[in-house]
């Protein structure tokens, strides 16, 4: 396989890189609001532009970034000593996504997927990134960053975002694909997706759920961001013809009616920028949160009144229907000023949950109990 050491930064819109170019703010856990009994602490505030997170077999927390172009490894998060942050890759092109599989760390790039082999054996002297999947669809514009994850089938799932606010790109863009760990046997999973920056699988059912960010420039209150579920391969979720399941696009809506597409499982709110999501399988949090879907809302950037900038919890009814989101962690903004932007969530084996914040360059830990955490 070819190896690379540096991948040059590509073109992205100013809006896309907003969180990377905004002056970094200090984390303010004193401003965060959580339900009674919950606590938030700072694990580290030395993780510039922190985005997707994944846990290695030995407890290392790997973190991707966007404008920073780096990948980080955090050790000591499980309580085995002081937390240490290492930069294990630099100079990459929007390496937002990280996925751990059989000891290897897979990292997303605008046009390829690279891997750091046996990474937890080499944290102090990381291997060069090895290309496992090249020539991913790319067009200069928006949404070329990728949240990646391995599914229960041991295949790597990769979203291919639309290179625009709204445009008709057929099935080349606006989809989710999967592939073997070595990059072979690429398959289309779902279409009609503007920009998914979070996907996960429900324990027990194996159903894939993903977030999708709605288009801009239709006003403050429409269209909503979506929570979607994939029941069969090849489903289409409407973009660019239909938004939130029932709103025809002003430019493309006359080409295909909303009735042709799979509607969202849940509407999350306009411009909240729903990103990373994970199911909570622990028992530390109270019973109503068991089995819930935790979602990081990065927050709006062009709404007249900010929305999002919080972490929400989505519970499920007896028939597995998602219920309206409940705010779990808020306070990342004060009025019209945001000091933090949640990008991902990661429940840990001890029942706590990590939250990444790419604006403050911080990782937080959410716990529940009588005493606040010591670190």
């Amino acid at each position: 396989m070819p190896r690379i050491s540096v991948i040059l930064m590509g073109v992205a819109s100013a809006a896309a890189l907003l969180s990377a170019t905004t002056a970094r703010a200090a984390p303010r856990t004193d401003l965060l609001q959580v339900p009674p009994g919950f606590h938030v602490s700072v694990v580290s505030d030395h993780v510039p532009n922190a985005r997707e997170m994944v846990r290695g077999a030995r407890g290392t927390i790997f973190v991707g970034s966007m404008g920073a172009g780096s990948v980080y490894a955090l050790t000591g998060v499980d309580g085995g000593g002081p937390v240490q942050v290492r930069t294990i890759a630099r100079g990459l092109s929007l390496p937002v996504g990280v996925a751990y599989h059989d000891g290897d760390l897979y990292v997303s790039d605008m046009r390829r997927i690279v891997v750091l082999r046996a990474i937890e054996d080499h944290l102090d002297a990381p291997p060069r990134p090895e290309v496992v999947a090249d020539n991913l669809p790319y067009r200069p514009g928006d949404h070329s960053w990728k949240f990646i994850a391995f599914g229960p089938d041991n295949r790597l799932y990769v979203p291919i975002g639309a290179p625009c606010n709204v445009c008709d790109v057929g099935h080349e863009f606006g989809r989710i694909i999967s592939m073997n760990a070595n990059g072979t046997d690429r398959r289309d999973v779902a279409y009609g997706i503007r920009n998914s920056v979070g996907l996960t699988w429900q324990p027990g059912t194996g159903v894939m759920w993903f977030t999708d960010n709605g288009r801009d420039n239709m006003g403050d209150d429409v269209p909503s961001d979506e929570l979607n579920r994939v029941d069969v391969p090849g489903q289409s979720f409407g973009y660019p013809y239909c938004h939130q399941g029932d709103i025809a696009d002003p430019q493309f809506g006359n080409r295909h009616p909303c009735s042709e597409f799979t509607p969202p499982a849940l509407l999350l709110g306009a411009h909240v920028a729903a990103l990373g999501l994970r199911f909570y399988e622990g028992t530390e949090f109270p019973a109503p949160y068991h089995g819930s879907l935790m979602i990081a809302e990065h927050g709006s950037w062009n709404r007249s009144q900010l929305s999002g900038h919080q972490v929400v919890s989505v519970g499920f009814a007896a028939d597995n229907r998602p219920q309206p989101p409940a705010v779990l962690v808020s306070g990342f903004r004060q009025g019209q000023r945001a000091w933090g932007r949640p990008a991902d969530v990661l429940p840990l084996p001890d029942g706590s949950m990590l939250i990444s914040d790419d604006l403050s360059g911080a990782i937080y830990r959410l716990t529940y109990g009588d005493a606040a955490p010591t670190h």
Side-chain angles (χ1 to χ4, degrees):
M1 286 287 186
R3 292 180 178 271
I4 57 173
S5 57
V6 176
I7 308 172
L8 297 177
M9 174 69 91
V11 178
S13 71
L17 292 177
L18 181 66
S19 60
T21 56
T22 304
R24 180 177 165 188
R28 293 290 307 274
T29 55
D30 59 306
L31 298 177
L32 296 179
Q33 301 171 18
V34 293
F38 283 91
H39 309 277
V40 180
S41 61
V42 176
V43 173
S44 175
D45 59 357
H46 298 287
V47 193
N49 206 215
R51 296 284 292 211
E52 185 181 358
M53 301 178 287
V54 70
R55 183 179 183 272
R58 303 177 197 171
T60 308
I61 305 300
F62 298 101
V63 187
S65 71
M66 198 160 168
S70 299
V71 180
Y72 312 100
L74 280 66
T75 54
V77 176
D78 286 350
V83 174
Q84 182 176 354
V85 180
R86 297 172 174 88
T87 300
I88 57 173
R90 303 175 188 273
L92 303 178
S93 186
L94 306 184
V96 166
V98 287
Y100 185 87
H101 182 69
D102 287 345
D104 301 330
L105 183 69
Y106 291 72
V107 180
S108 68
D109 171 70
M110 291 199 300
R111 306 184 192 210
R112 71 195 86 194
I113 304 295
V114 302
V115 62
L116 303 173
R117 300 292 186 190
I119 185 59
E120 287 184 293
D121 291 331
H122 306 288
L123 294 178
D124 291 320
R128 289 184 177 182
E130 174 187 322
V131 178
V132 294
D134 208 348
N135 299 316
L136 295 177
Y138 171 79
R139 186 181 300 173
D142 296 333
H143 312 142
S144 52
W145 52 95
K146 298 168 177 62
F147 180 110
I148 60 176
F150 277 92
D153 55 3
N154 289 316
R155 293 177 62 84
L156 180 63
Y157 287 72
V158 181
I160 309 294
C164 54
N165 174 37
V166 59
C167 54
D168 195 345
V169 293
H171 284 172
E172 183 181 9
F173 295 89
R175 58 178 166 144
I176 295 173
I177 65 174
S178 74
M179 63 186 73
N180 290 329
N182 63 4
T184 61
D185 189 28
R186 297 185 191 181
R187 303 176 190 173
D188 289 336
V189 176
Y191 306 102
I193 302 161
R194 180 176 177 269
N195 182 36
S196 178
V197 196
L199 50 90
T200 193
W201 289 263
Q202 188 172 27
T205 69
V207 172
M208 190 178 90
W209 297 76
F210 68 92
T211 53
D212 191 14
N213 290 177
R215 64 158 289 179
D216 296 314
N217 303 325
M218 286 183 65
D220 274 359
D221 301 318
V222 294
S224 178
D225 283 8
E226 301 173 5
L227 174 64
N228 294 303
R229 57 176 287 166
V230 178
D231 294 305
V232 294
Q235 284 174 270
S236 181
F237 293 86
Y239 177 87
Y241 315 107
C242 177
H243 308 290
Q244 71 171 50
D246 58 4
I247 295 180
D249 184 79
Q251 182 177 356
F252 300 105
N254 60 349
R255 300 184 185 180
H256 295 278
C258 288
S259 59
E260 291 186 8
F261 306 108
T262 301
L266 185 68
L267 300 182
L268 298 173
H271 309 296
V272 298
L275 300 188
L277 73 169
R278 301 293 199 293
F279 281 92
Y280 182 77
E281 300 181 68
T283 58
E284 177 181 315
F285 294 177
Y289 296 98
H290 297 176
S292 292
L293 190 54
M294 307 298 187
I295 304 175
E297 294 184 350
H298 198 226
S300 60
W301 65 273
N302 65 346
R303 194 173 185 271
S304 63
Q305 298 293 318
L306 293 182
S307 60
H309 299 91
Q310 59 191 7
V311 175
V312 300
S313 171
V314 172
F316 290 81
D319 59 358
N320 207 34
R321 283 185 302 108
Q323 301 302 292
V327 177
L328 183 59
V329 185
S330 62
F332 288 98
R333 59 181 167 87
Q334 294 181 290
Q336 288 296 95
R337 178 185 177 275
W339 62 264
R341 303 191 78 186
D344 195 17
V345 293
L346 182 64
L348 297 181
D350 66 2
S352 66
M353 186 174 76
L354 300 182
I355 302 167
S356 63
D357 170 3
D358 68 352
L359 182 54
S360 293
I363 306 293
Y364 310 96
R365 187 196 305 268
L366 179 67
T367 58
Y368 182 84
D370 295 332
T374 57
H375 69 278

Coordinates of all heavy atoms in Angstrom, one line a residue, residues 24 27 41-48 50 63 72-75 77 82-86 354-357 360-365 375:
R24 N -9.8 31.0 19.6 CA -10.1 30.0 20.6 C -10.5 30.6 21.9 O -9.8 31.5 22.5 CB -8.9 29.1 20.8 CG -9.0 28.0 21.7 CD -7.8 27.1 21.8 NE -7.7 26.2 22.9 CZ -6.7 25.5 23.3 NH1 -5.6 25.6 22.5 NH2 -6.7 24.7 24.3
P27 N -12.4 27.0 27.9 CA -13.6 26.3 28.4 C -14.2 26.9 29.7 O -13.4 27.2 30.6 CB -13.1 24.9 28.5 CG -11.6 25.0 28.7 CD -11.2 26.2 27.9
S41 N -16.6 18.1 33.8 CA -15.3 18.5 34.2 C -14.5 18.6 32.9 O -14.9 18.0 31.8 CB -14.6 17.6 35.1 OG -14.6 16.2 34.6
V42 N -13.3 19.3 32.9 CA -12.5 19.3 31.7 C -11.4 18.2 31.8 O -10.7 18.1 32.8 CB -11.7 20.7 31.7 CG1 -10.7 20.7 30.5 CG2 -12.7 21.8 31.5
V43 N -11.4 17.4 30.8 CA -10.4 16.3 30.7 C -9.1 16.9 30.2 O -8.0 16.7 30.7 CB -10.9 15.2 29.8 CG1 -9.7 14.2 29.5 CG2 -12.1 14.5 30.4
S44 N -9.2 17.7 29.1 CA -8.1 18.5 28.6 C -8.5 19.6 27.8 O -9.6 19.5 27.1 CB -7.2 17.6 27.8 OG -6.1 18.3 27.1
D45 N -7.8 20.8 27.9 CA -8.1 21.9 27.0 C -7.0 22.1 26.0 O -6.7 23.3 25.6 CB -8.5 23.1 27.8 CG -7.4 23.6 28.7 OD1 -6.4 22.9 28.8 OD2 -7.5 24.6 29.4
H46 N -6.2 21.1 25.7 CA -5.1 21.1 24.8 C -5.3 20.2 23.6 O -4.4 19.5 23.2 CB -3.8 20.8 25.5 CG -3.5 21.7 26.7 ND1 -3.0 23.0 26.5 CD2 -3.6 21.5 28.0 CE1 -2.8 23.6 27.6 NE2 -3.2 22.7 28.6
V47 N -6.5 20.3 23.1 CA -6.9 19.4 21.9 C -7.5 20.4 20.8 O -8.7 20.4 20.6 CB -7.9 18.3 22.3 CG1 -8.0 17.3 21.2 CG2 -7.5 17.7 23.6
P48 N -6.6 21.1 20.1 CA -7.1 22.2 19.2 C -8.1 21.6 18.2 O -7.8 20.6 17.5 CB -5.9 22.7 18.6 CG -4.8 22.5 19.6 CD -5.2 21.2 20.2
A50 N -10.9 20.0 18.4 CA -11.3 18.6 18.6 C -12.7 18.3 18.0 O -13.6 19.0 18.2 CB -11.4 18.3 20.1
V63 N -8.7 11.5 18.8 CA -9.5 12.6 18.4 C -9.1 13.2 17.1 O -7.9 13.5 16.9 CB -9.4 13.7 19.5 CG1 -10.4 14.8 19.2 CG2 -9.7 13.2 20.9
Y72 N -5.0 13.5 17.5 CA -4.5 13.4 18.8 C -4.8 12.1 19.5 O -5.7 11.4 19.1 CB -5.1 14.5 19.7 CG -5.1 15.9 19.0 CD1 -6.3 16.4 18.4 CD2 -4.0 16.7 19.0 CE1 -6.3 17.6 17.7 CE2 -4.0 17.9 18.4 CZ -5.2 18.4 17.7 OH -5.2 19.6 17.1
A73 N -3.9 11.8 20.5 CA -4.2 10.6 21.3 C -4.1 11.1 22.8 O -3.1 11.7 23.2 CB -3.1 9.6 21.0
L74 N -5.1 10.8 23.5 CA -5.2 11.1 24.9 C -5.1 9.8 25.8 O -5.9 8.9 25.6 CB -6.5 11.8 25.3 CG -6.6 13.3 25.0 CD1 -6.6 13.5 23.5 CD2 -7.9 13.9 25.6
T75 N -4.1 9.8 26.7 CA -3.9 8.7 27.6 C -4.2 9.2 29.0 O -4.1 10.4 29.3 CB -2.5 8.1 27.5 OG1 -1.5 9.1 27.7 CG2 -2.3 7.4 26.1
V77 N -7.1 9.0 30.5 CA -8.5 9.4 30.6 C -9.3 8.5 31.5 O -10.2 8.8 32.2 CB -9.2 9.5 29.2 CG1 -10.6 9.9 29.3 CG2 -8.4 10.6 28.4
P82 N -2.1 10.9 35.1 CA -2.4 12.2 34.5 C -2.7 12.1 33.0 O -2.1 11.3 32.3 CB -1.1 13.1 34.7 CG 0.0 12.1 34.9 CD -0.7 10.9 35.5
V83 N -3.6 12.9 32.5 CA -4.0 12.9 31.1 C -2.9 13.5 30.3 O -2.4 14.6 30.6 CB -5.3 13.7 30.9 CG1 -5.6 13.8 29.4 CG2 -6.5 13.0 31.6
Q84 N -2.5 12.8 29.3 CA -1.4 13.3 28.4 C -2.0 13.3 27.0 O -2.7 12.4 26.5 CB -0.2 12.4 28.4 CG 0.9 12.9 27.6 CD 2.2 12.0 27.7 OE1 2.2 11.1 28.5 NE2 3.2 12.2 26.9
V85 N -1.7 14.4 26.3 CA -2.2 14.6 24.9 C -1.0 14.6 24.0 O 0.0 15.3 24.1 CB -2.9 16.0 24.7 CG1 -3.4 16.1 23.3 CG2 -4.1 16.1 25.7
R86 N -1.0 13.6 23.0 CA 0.0 13.5 22.0 C -0.6 13.9 20.6 O -1.7 13.5 20.4 CB 0.6 12.1 21.9 CG 1.3 11.7 23.2 CD 1.6 10.2 23.1 NE 2.5 9.6 24.1 CZ 1.9 9.1 25.3 NH1 0.6 9.1 25.5 NH2 2.7 8.6 26.2
L354 N -17.7 11.4 27.3 CA -16.9 12.5 26.8 C -17.6 13.4 25.8 O -18.4 12.9 25.1 CB -15.6 12.0 26.2 CG -14.7 11.1 27.1 CD1 -13.4 10.7 26.3 CD2 -14.3 11.8 28.4
I355 N -17.3 14.7 25.8 CA -17.8 15.6 24.8 C -16.7 16.4 24.3 O -15.9 17.0 25.0 CB -18.8 16.6 25.5 CG1 -20.0 15.8 26.2 CG2 -19.4 17.6 24.5 CD1 -20.8 16.7 27.1
S356 N -16.6 16.4 22.9 CA -15.5 17.2 22.3 C -16.1 18.6 21.9 O -17.3 18.7 21.6 CB -14.9 16.6 21.1 OG -15.9 16.4 20.1
D357 N -15.2 19.6 22.0 CA -15.6 21.0 21.8 C -14.5 21.6 20.9 O -13.4 21.9 21.3 CB -15.7 21.8 23.1 CG -15.9 23.3 22.9 OD1 -16.0 23.8 21.8 OD2 -15.9 24.0 24.0
S360 N -13.3 25.5 21.8 CA -12.4 25.7 22.9 C -11.2 24.8 22.8 O -10.3 24.9 23.7 CB -13.2 25.5 24.2 OG -14.1 26.5 24.5
G361 N -11.3 23.8 21.9 CA -10.2 22.8 21.9 C -10.1 22.0 23.1 O -9.0 21.7 23.7
A362 N -11.3 21.5 23.6 CA -11.4 20.8 24.9 C -12.1 19.5 24.7 O -13.0 19.4 23.8 CB -12.0 21.7 25.9
I363 N -11.8 18.6 25.7 CA -12.6 17.4 25.9 C -13.2 17.5 27.3 O -12.4 17.7 28.3 CB -11.8 16.1 25.7 CG1 -11.1 16.1 24.4 CG2 -12.6 14.9 25.9 CD1 -12.0 16.0 23.2
Y364 N -14.5 17.3 27.5 CA -15.1 17.3 28.8 C -15.6 15.9 29.1 O -15.8 15.1 28.3 CB -16.4 18.2 28.8 CG -16.1 19.6 28.2 CD1 -16.4 19.9 26.9 CD2 -15.6 20.6 29.0 CE1 -16.1 21.2 26.3 CE2 -15.3 21.9 28.5 CZ -15.6 22.2 27.2 OH -15.4 23.4 26.6
R365 N -15.8 15.7 30.4 CA -16.3 14.4 30.9 C -17.7 14.8 31.6 O -17.7 15.6 32.5 CB -15.4 13.7 31.8 CG -15.9 12.3 32.2 CD -15.2 11.8 33.5 NE -13.7 11.8 33.3 CZ -13.0 10.7 32.8 NH1 -13.7 9.6 32.5 NH2 -11.7 10.8 32.7
H375 N -11.1 15.1 38.0 CA -10.3 15.5 36.8 C -11.2 15.3 35.6 O -12.2 14.8 35.6 CB -9.0 14.8 36.7 CG -9.2 13.3 36.3 ND1 -9.4 12.4 37.2 CD2 -9.1 12.7 35.1 CE1 -9.5 11.2 36.7 NE2 -9.3 11.3 35.4

